[in-house]
Amino acid sequence: TGGVSGIALPRNPLYRYYTNFEMISDVISLDGKSVGFALRAIDAKNYYLVEIAGANAAEPLLIKGYIVKNGVAAPIY
């Protein structure tokens, strides 16, 4: 998914609604910018997003949370 904008969700919607889970992932940011994870995704336009910024991001080494509603992201403070 390098260089691609947007969100990837499981094809089967049953996998979107676990309440207790552990997520382990190895992620490499080849350009040092940022990576993100969608949480509690209702669909591709409504979800929570956690963004982890790398050393080359506009705001380096920072974790941010967003609520995405109807495709529009708003920061969680």
Coordinates of all heavy atoms in Angstrom, one line a residue:
T1 N 0.8 -1.2 0.0 CA 0.0 0.0 0.0 C 0.9 1.3 0.0 O 0.3 2.3 0.2 CB -0.9 0.0 1.2 OG1 -0.2 0.0 2.4 CG2 -1.9 -1.1 1.2
G2 N 2.1 1.1 -0.3 CA 3.0 2.3 -0.2 C 2.6 3.4 -1.2 O 2.3 3.2 -2.3
G3 N 2.5 4.6 -0.7 CA 2.1 5.8 -1.5 C 0.7 5.9 -1.8 O 0.3 6.7 -2.6
V4 N -0.2 5.1 -1.2 CA -1.6 5.0 -1.5 C -2.4 5.7 -0.4 O -2.2 5.4 0.7 CB -2.1 3.6 -1.7 CG1 -3.6 3.5 -2.0 CG2 -1.3 2.9 -2.9
S5 N -3.3 6.6 -0.8 CA -4.1 7.3 0.2 C -5.4 6.4 0.4 O -5.7 5.6 -0.5 CB -4.6 8.6 -0.3 OG -3.4 9.4 -0.5
G6 N -6.0 6.6 1.5 CA -7.3 5.9 1.8 C -7.2 4.9 2.9 O -6.2 4.8 3.6
I7 N -8.2 4.1 3.0 CA -8.3 3.0 4.0 C -8.6 1.7 3.4 O -9.4 1.6 2.5 CB -9.3 3.5 5.1 CG1 -9.4 2.5 6.2 CG2 -10.7 3.7 4.4 CD1 -10.3 2.9 7.3
A8 N -8.0 0.7 3.9 CA -8.3 -0.7 3.5 C -9.0 -1.4 4.7 O -8.6 -1.4 5.8 CB -7.0 -1.5 3.2
L9 N -10.2 -1.9 4.4 CA -11.0 -2.6 5.4 C -11.2 -4.1 4.9 O -11.1 -4.4 3.8 CB -12.4 -2.0 5.5 CG -12.5 -0.6 5.9 CD1 -13.9 -0.1 5.9 CD2 -11.9 -0.4 7.3
P10 N -11.4 -5.0 5.9 CA -11.6 -6.4 5.6 C -12.9 -6.5 4.7 O -13.8 -5.8 4.8 CB -11.9 -7.1 6.9 CG -11.4 -6.1 7.9 CD -11.4 -4.8 7.4
R11 N -12.8 -7.5 3.7 CA -14.0 -7.7 2.8 C -15.2 -8.2 3.6 O -16.3 -7.8 3.3 CB -13.6 -8.7 1.8 CG -12.7 -8.2 0.7 CD -12.4 -9.2 -0.3 NE -11.4 -8.7 -1.2 CZ -10.8 -9.4 -2.1 NH1 -11.2 -10.6 -2.4 NH2 -9.9 -8.9 -2.9
N12 N -14.9 -9.0 4.6 CA -16.1 -9.6 5.3 C -16.3 -8.6 6.5 O -15.5 -8.5 7.4 CB -15.7 -11.0 5.9 CG -16.8 -11.6 6.6 OD1 -17.8 -11.0 7.0 ND2 -16.8 -12.9 6.7
P13 N -17.5 -8.0 6.6 CA -17.8 -7.0 7.6 C -17.8 -7.6 9.0 O -17.8 -6.9 10.0 CB -19.1 -6.4 7.2 CG -19.7 -7.3 6.3 CD -18.6 -8.1 5.6
L14 N -18.0 -8.9 9.1 CA -18.0 -9.6 10.5 C -16.7 -9.3 11.2 O -16.7 -9.3 12.4 CB -18.2 -11.1 10.3 CG -19.6 -11.5 9.8 CD1 -19.7 -13.0 9.6 CD2 -20.7 -11.0 10.7
Y15 N -15.6 -9.1 10.5 CA -14.3 -8.9 11.1 C -14.1 -7.5 11.7 O -13.1 -7.2 12.2 CB -13.2 -9.3 10.2 CG -13.1 -10.7 9.9 CD1 -13.4 -11.2 8.6 CD2 -12.8 -11.7 10.8 CE1 -13.4 -12.5 8.3 CE2 -12.8 -13.0 10.5 CZ -13.1 -13.4 9.2 OH -13.0 -14.8 8.9
R16 N -15.1 -6.6 11.5 CA -14.9 -5.2 11.9 C -15.5 -4.9 13.3 O -15.4 -3.8 13.8 CB -15.7 -4.3 10.9 CG -15.1 -4.4 9.5 CD -15.9 -3.4 8.6 NE -15.7 -3.7 7.2 CZ -16.4 -3.3 6.3 NH1 -17.4 -2.5 6.5 NH2 -16.1 -3.6 5.0
Y17 N -16.0 -5.9 14.0 CA -16.8 -5.6 15.2 C -16.3 -6.4 16.4 O -17.1 -6.6 17.3 CB -18.3 -5.9 15.0 CG -18.8 -5.1 13.8 CD1 -19.1 -5.6 12.6 CD2 -19.0 -3.7 14.0 CE1 -19.5 -4.8 11.5 CE2 -19.5 -2.9 13.0 CZ -19.8 -3.5 11.7 OH -20.2 -2.7 10.7
Y18 N -15.0 -6.7 16.5 CA -14.5 -7.4 17.7 C -14.4 -6.3 18.8 O -13.9 -5.2 18.5 CB -13.1 -8.0 17.4 CG -13.2 -9.2 16.5 CD1 -12.7 -9.2 15.2 CD2 -13.7 -10.4 17.0 CE1 -12.8 -10.3 14.4 CE2 -13.8 -11.5 16.2 CZ -13.3 -11.5 14.9 OH -13.4 -12.6 14.1
T19 N -14.7 -6.7 20.0 CA -14.6 -5.7 21.1 C -13.3 -6.0 21.9 O -12.8 -5.0 22.4 CB -15.8 -5.8 22.0 OG1 -15.9 -7.2 22.5 CG2 -17.1 -5.4 21.3
N20 N -12.9 -7.2 22.0 CA -11.6 -7.5 22.7 C -10.7 -8.2 21.7 O -10.9 -9.3 21.2 CB -11.9 -8.5 23.8 CG -12.8 -7.8 24.9 OD1 -12.5 -6.7 25.3 ND2 -13.8 -8.5 25.3
F21 N -9.6 -7.5 21.4 CA -8.6 -8.1 20.5 C -7.2 -7.5 20.8 O -7.1 -6.5 21.5 CB -9.0 -7.8 19.1 CG -9.0 -6.3 18.7 CD1 -7.8 -5.8 18.1 CD2 -10.0 -5.5 18.9 CE1 -7.8 -4.4 17.8 CE2 -10.0 -4.2 18.6 CZ -8.9 -3.6 18.0
E22 N -6.2 -8.1 20.3 CA -4.9 -7.6 20.4 C -4.4 -7.5 18.9 O -4.5 -8.4 18.1 CB -4.0 -8.6 21.1 CG -2.6 -8.2 21.2 CD -1.7 -9.2 22.0 OE1 -2.3 -10.1 22.6 OE2 -0.5 -9.1 22.0
M23 N -3.8 -6.3 18.6 CA -3.3 -6.1 17.3 C -1.8 -6.0 17.4 O -1.3 -5.2 18.1 CB -3.9 -4.8 16.7 CG -3.4 -4.6 15.3 SD -4.2 -3.2 14.5 CE -3.2 -1.9 15.0
I24 N -1.1 -6.9 16.7 CA 0.4 -6.8 16.6 C 0.7 -6.7 15.1 O 0.2 -7.4 14.3 CB 1.0 -8.1 17.2 CG1 0.6 -8.2 18.6 CG2 2.5 -8.1 17.0 CD1 1.0 -9.6 19.2
S25 N 1.5 -5.7 14.8 CA 1.9 -5.5 13.4 C 3.3 -4.9 13.3 O 3.7 -4.1 14.1 CB 0.9 -4.4 12.8 OG 1.2 -4.2 11.5
D26 N 4.0 -5.4 12.3 CA 5.3 -4.8 11.9 C 5.0 -3.9 10.8 O 4.5 -4.3 9.7 CB 6.3 -5.9 11.5 CG 6.7 -6.8 12.7 OD1 6.7 -6.3 13.8 OD2 7.0 -8.0 12.5
V27 N 5.3 -2.6 11.0 CA 5.1 -1.6 9.9 C 6.4 -0.9 9.7 O 7.1 -0.5 10.6 CB 4.0 -0.6 10.3 CG1 3.9 0.5 9.3 CG2 2.7 -1.3 10.6
I28 N 6.7 -0.7 8.4 CA 7.9 0.0 8.0 C 7.5 1.2 7.2 O 6.9 1.0 6.1 CB 8.9 -0.9 7.3 CG1 9.4 -2.0 8.1 CG2 10.1 -0.1 6.8 CD1 10.3 -3.0 7.4
S29 N 7.8 2.4 7.6 CA 7.6 3.6 6.8 C 8.8 3.8 6.0 O 9.9 4.3 6.5 CB 7.2 4.7 7.7 OG 7.1 5.9 6.9
L30 N 8.8 3.5 4.7 CA 10.0 3.6 3.8 C 10.4 5.1 3.7 O 11.6 5.3 3.5 CB 9.7 3.0 2.5 CG 9.4 1.5 2.5 CD1 9.1 1.0 1.1 CD2 10.5 0.7 3.1
D31 N 9.5 6.0 3.7 CA 9.9 7.4 3.6 C 10.0 8.2 4.9 O 10.3 9.4 4.9 CB 8.9 8.1 2.7 CG 7.5 8.1 3.2 OD1 7.2 7.6 4.3 OD2 6.6 8.6 2.4
G32 N 9.7 7.5 6.0 CA 9.8 8.1 7.3 C 8.7 9.1 7.7 O 8.8 9.9 8.6
K33 N 7.6 9.1 6.9 CA 6.5 10.0 7.1 C 5.6 9.4 8.1 O 5.9 9.3 9.3 CB 5.9 10.4 5.8 CG 6.8 11.2 5.0 CD 6.2 11.9 3.8 CE 7.2 12.7 3.1 NZ 6.7 13.2 1.8
S34 N 4.4 8.9 7.7 CA 3.5 8.4 8.7 C 2.7 7.2 8.3 O 2.6 6.9 7.1 CB 2.5 9.5 9.1 OG 1.7 9.9 8.0
V35 N 2.2 6.5 9.2 CA 1.4 5.3 9.0 C 0.1 5.5 9.9 O 0.2 6.2 10.9 CB 2.1 4.0 9.3 CG1 3.2 3.8 8.4 CG2 2.5 3.9 10.7
G36 N -1.0 4.8 9.5 CA -2.2 4.9 10.3 C -2.9 3.6 10.4 O -2.7 2.7 9.6
F37 N -3.7 3.5 11.4 CA -4.6 2.3 11.6 C -6.0 2.8 11.9 O -6.3 3.7 12.7 CB -4.1 1.6 12.9 CG -2.7 1.0 12.8 CD1 -1.6 1.7 13.2 CD2 -2.5 -0.2 12.1 CE1 -0.4 1.1 13.1 CE2 -1.3 -0.8 12.0 CZ -0.2 -0.1 12.5
A38 N -6.9 2.2 11.2 CA -8.4 2.4 11.4 C -8.9 1.5 12.5 O -8.5 0.4 12.6 CB -9.1 2.2 10.1
L39 N -9.6 2.1 13.4 CA -10.2 1.4 14.5 C -11.7 1.6 14.5 O -12.2 2.7 14.2 CB -9.7 1.9 15.8 CG -8.2 1.8 16.0 CD1 -7.7 2.5 17.3 CD2 -7.7 0.4 16.0
R40 N -12.5 0.6 14.9 CA -13.9 0.7 14.9 C -14.5 1.3 13.6 O -15.2 2.3 13.6 CB -14.4 1.5 16.1 CG -15.9 1.4 16.3 CD -16.4 2.0 17.6 NE -17.8 2.3 17.6 CZ -18.8 1.5 17.8 NH1 -18.5 0.2 18.0 NH2 -20.0 1.8 17.8
A41 N -14.2 0.6 12.5 CA -14.6 1.1 11.2 C -16.0 0.6 10.9 O -16.3 -0.5 10.8 CB -13.7 0.6 10.1
I42 N -16.9 1.6 10.8 CA -18.3 1.3 10.3 C -18.3 1.0 8.8 O -18.9 0.0 8.4 CB -19.3 2.5 10.7 CG1 -19.2 2.8 12.1 CG2 -20.7 2.1 10.2 CD1 -19.6 1.8 13.1
D43 N -17.7 1.8 8.1 CA -17.5 1.7 6.7 C -16.2 2.5 6.3 O -15.6 3.1 7.1 CB -18.7 2.1 5.9 CG -19.2 3.5 6.2 OD1 -18.4 4.4 6.3 OD2 -20.4 3.6 6.3
A44 N -16.0 2.6 5.0 CA -14.8 3.4 4.5 C -14.8 4.9 4.7 O -13.8 5.6 4.5 CB -14.5 3.0 3.0
K45 N -16.0 5.4 5.2 CA -16.1 6.9 5.4 C -16.3 7.2 6.9 O -16.4 8.4 7.2 CB -17.2 7.4 4.5 CG -16.9 7.4 3.1 CD -17.9 8.2 2.3 CE -17.4 8.4 0.9 NZ -16.7 9.7 0.7
N46 N -16.5 6.2 7.7 CA -16.8 6.4 9.1 C -16.0 5.5 10.0 O -16.3 4.3 10.1 CB -18.3 6.2 9.4 CG -19.1 7.2 8.6 OD1 -19.2 8.4 9.0 ND2 -19.7 6.8 7.6
Y47 N -15.0 6.0 10.7 CA -14.1 5.2 11.5 C -13.2 6.1 12.4 O -13.3 7.3 12.3 CB -13.2 4.4 10.6 CG -12.4 5.1 9.6 CD1 -11.1 5.6 9.9 CD2 -12.9 5.4 8.3 CE1 -10.4 6.3 8.9 CE2 -12.2 6.1 7.4 CZ -11.0 6.5 7.7 OH -10.3 7.2 6.7
Y48 N -12.5 5.5 13.3 CA -11.5 6.2 14.1 C -10.1 5.9 13.5 O -9.9 4.8 13.0 CB -11.5 5.7 15.6 CG -12.8 6.1 16.3 CD1 -13.8 5.2 16.4 CD2 -12.9 7.3 16.9 CE1 -15.0 5.5 17.1 CE2 -14.1 7.7 17.6 CZ -15.1 6.8 17.7 OH -16.2 7.1 18.3
L49 N -9.2 6.8 13.5 CA -7.9 6.7 12.9 C -6.8 7.1 13.9 O -6.9 8.1 14.5 CB -7.8 7.6 11.7 CG -6.5 7.5 10.9 CD1 -6.2 6.2 10.2 CD2 -6.4 8.7 9.9
V50 N -5.8 6.2 14.0 CA -4.7 6.5 14.8 C -3.5 6.7 13.8 O -3.2 5.8 13.0 CB -4.4 5.4 15.8 CG1 -3.1 5.6 16.6 CG2 -5.5 5.2 16.8
E51 N -2.9 7.8 13.9 CA -1.8 8.1 13.0 C -0.4 8.2 13.8 O -0.4 8.9 14.8 CB -2.0 9.4 12.2 CG -0.9 9.8 11.2 CD -1.2 11.1 10.6 OE1 -1.3 12.2 11.3 OE2 -1.4 11.2 9.4
I52 N 0.6 7.5 13.3 CA 1.9 7.5 13.9 C 2.8 8.2 13.0 O 3.1 7.7 11.9 CB 2.3 6.1 14.3 CG1 1.3 5.4 15.2 CG2 3.7 6.1 14.9 CD1 1.5 3.9 15.4
A53 N 3.4 9.3 13.3 CA 4.3 10.1 12.5 C 5.7 9.7 12.7 O 6.2 9.5 13.8 CB 4.1 11.6 12.7
G54 N 6.5 9.5 11.6 CA 7.9 9.2 11.6 C 8.8 10.4 11.7 O 8.3 11.5 11.8
A55 N 10.1 10.2 11.6 CA 11.0 11.3 11.7 C 11.0 12.3 10.6 O 11.3 13.4 10.8 CB 12.4 10.7 11.8
N56 N 10.5 11.9 9.4 CA 10.4 12.9 8.3 C 9.0 13.5 8.1 O 8.8 14.2 7.1 CB 10.8 12.2 7.0 CG 12.3 11.7 7.0 OD1 13.1 12.3 7.7 ND2 12.6 10.6 6.3
A57 N 8.1 13.3 9.0 CA 6.8 13.8 8.9 C 6.8 15.3 9.2 O 7.7 15.9 9.8 CB 5.8 13.1 9.8
A58 N 5.7 16.0 8.9 CA 5.6 17.4 9.1 C 5.7 17.7 10.6 O 6.3 18.7 11.1 CB 4.3 18.0 8.6
E59 N 5.1 16.9 11.4 CA 5.2 16.9 12.9 C 5.8 15.6 13.4 O 5.1 14.6 13.6 CB 3.8 17.1 13.6 CG 3.2 18.4 13.2 CD 1.8 18.6 13.8 OE1 0.8 18.1 13.2 OE2 1.7 19.1 14.9
P60 N 7.1 15.5 13.4 CA 7.8 14.2 13.6 C 7.5 13.6 15.0 O 7.3 14.3 16.0 CB 9.3 14.6 13.4 CG 9.4 16.0 13.4 CD 8.0 16.6 13.2
L61 N 7.5 12.3 15.0 CA 7.5 11.4 16.2 C 6.3 11.8 17.1 O 6.5 12.0 18.3 CB 8.8 11.5 16.9 CG 10.0 11.2 16.1 CD1 11.3 11.4 16.8 CD2 10.0 9.8 15.4
L62 N 5.1 11.8 16.5 CA 3.9 12.2 17.2 C 2.8 11.2 16.9 O 2.7 10.7 15.8 CB 3.5 13.6 16.7 CG 2.4 14.3 17.5 CD1 2.9 14.6 18.9 CD2 2.1 15.6 16.8
I63 N 2.0 10.9 17.8 CA 0.8 10.0 17.6 C -0.4 10.9 17.8 O -0.6 11.6 18.7 CB 0.8 8.9 18.6 CG1 2.0 8.0 18.5 CG2 -0.5 8.0 18.5 CD1 2.1 6.9 19.5
K64 N -1.3 10.8 16.8 CA -2.6 11.6 16.8 C -3.8 10.6 16.6 O -3.7 9.6 15.9 CB -2.6 12.6 15.6 CG -1.6 13.7 15.8 CD -1.8 14.6 14.6 CE -0.8 15.8 14.7 NZ -1.0 16.8 13.6
G65 N -4.9 11.1 17.1 CA -6.2 10.3 16.9 C -7.2 11.2 16.2 O -7.2 12.4 16.4
Y66 N -8.0 10.6 15.3 CA -9.0 11.3 14.5 C -10.3 10.6 14.5 O -10.3 9.3 14.6 CB -8.5 11.5 13.1 CG -7.3 12.3 12.9 CD1 -6.1 11.7 12.8 CD2 -7.4 13.7 12.7 CE1 -4.9 12.4 12.6 CE2 -6.2 14.4 12.5 CZ -5.0 13.8 12.5 OH -3.8 14.5 12.3
I67 N -11.4 11.3 14.4 CA -12.7 10.7 14.2 C -13.0 11.1 12.7 O -12.9 12.3 12.3 CB -13.8 11.3 15.1 CG1 -13.5 11.0 16.5 CG2 -15.2 10.8 14.6 CD1 -14.4 11.6 17.5
V68 N -13.2 10.1 11.9 CA -13.6 10.3 10.5 C -15.0 10.1 10.3 O -15.5 9.0 10.6 CB -12.7 9.4 9.5 CG1 -13.1 9.7 8.1 CG2 -11.2 9.7 9.7
K69 N -15.8 11.1 10.0 CA -17.2 11.0 9.8 C -17.6 11.5 8.5 O -17.3 12.7 8.1 CB -17.9 11.8 10.9 CG -19.4 11.7 10.9 CD -20.0 12.4 12.1 CE -21.5 12.1 12.1 NZ -22.2 12.8 13.3
N70 N -18.3 10.7 7.7 CA -18.6 11.0 6.3 C -17.4 11.4 5.5 O -17.5 12.3 4.6 CB -19.7 12.1 6.2 CG -21.0 11.6 6.8 OD1 -21.4 10.4 6.7 ND2 -21.7 12.5 7.5
G71 N -16.3 10.8 5.8 CA -15.0 11.0 5.0 C -14.3 12.2 5.4 O -13.2 12.6 4.9
V72 N -14.7 13.0 6.5 CA -14.0 14.2 6.9 C -13.4 13.9 8.3 O -14.1 13.5 9.2 CB -15.0 15.4 7.1 CG1 -14.3 16.6 7.6 CG2 -15.6 15.6 5.7
A73 N -12.1 14.1 8.4 CA -11.3 13.8 9.6 C -11.4 15.0 10.6 O -11.2 16.1 10.2 CB -9.9 13.4 9.3
A74 N -11.6 14.7 11.9 CA -11.5 15.8 12.9 C -10.6 15.2 14.0 O -10.8 14.1 14.4 CB -12.9 16.1 13.4
P75 N -9.7 16.0 14.5 CA -8.8 15.5 15.5 C -9.5 15.2 16.9 O -10.5 15.9 17.2 CB -7.8 16.7 15.7 CG -8.4 17.9 15.1 CD -9.4 17.4 14.1
I76 N -9.0 14.2 17.6 CA -9.5 13.9 18.9 C -8.5 14.6 19.9 O -7.3 14.4 19.8 CB -9.5 12.4 19.2 CG1 -10.4 11.7 18.2 CG2 -9.9 12.1 20.6 CD1 -10.3 10.2 18.3
Y77 N -9.1 15.4 20.7 CA -8.2 16.2 21.7 C -8.2 15.5 23.0 O -9.1 15.0 23.5 CB -8.6 17.6 21.8 CG -8.4 18.4 20.5 CD1 -9.5 18.7 19.7 CD2 -7.2 18.8 20.1 CE1 -9.3 19.4 18.5 CE2 -7.0 19.5 18.9 CZ -8.1 19.8 18.2 OH -7.9 20.5 17.0

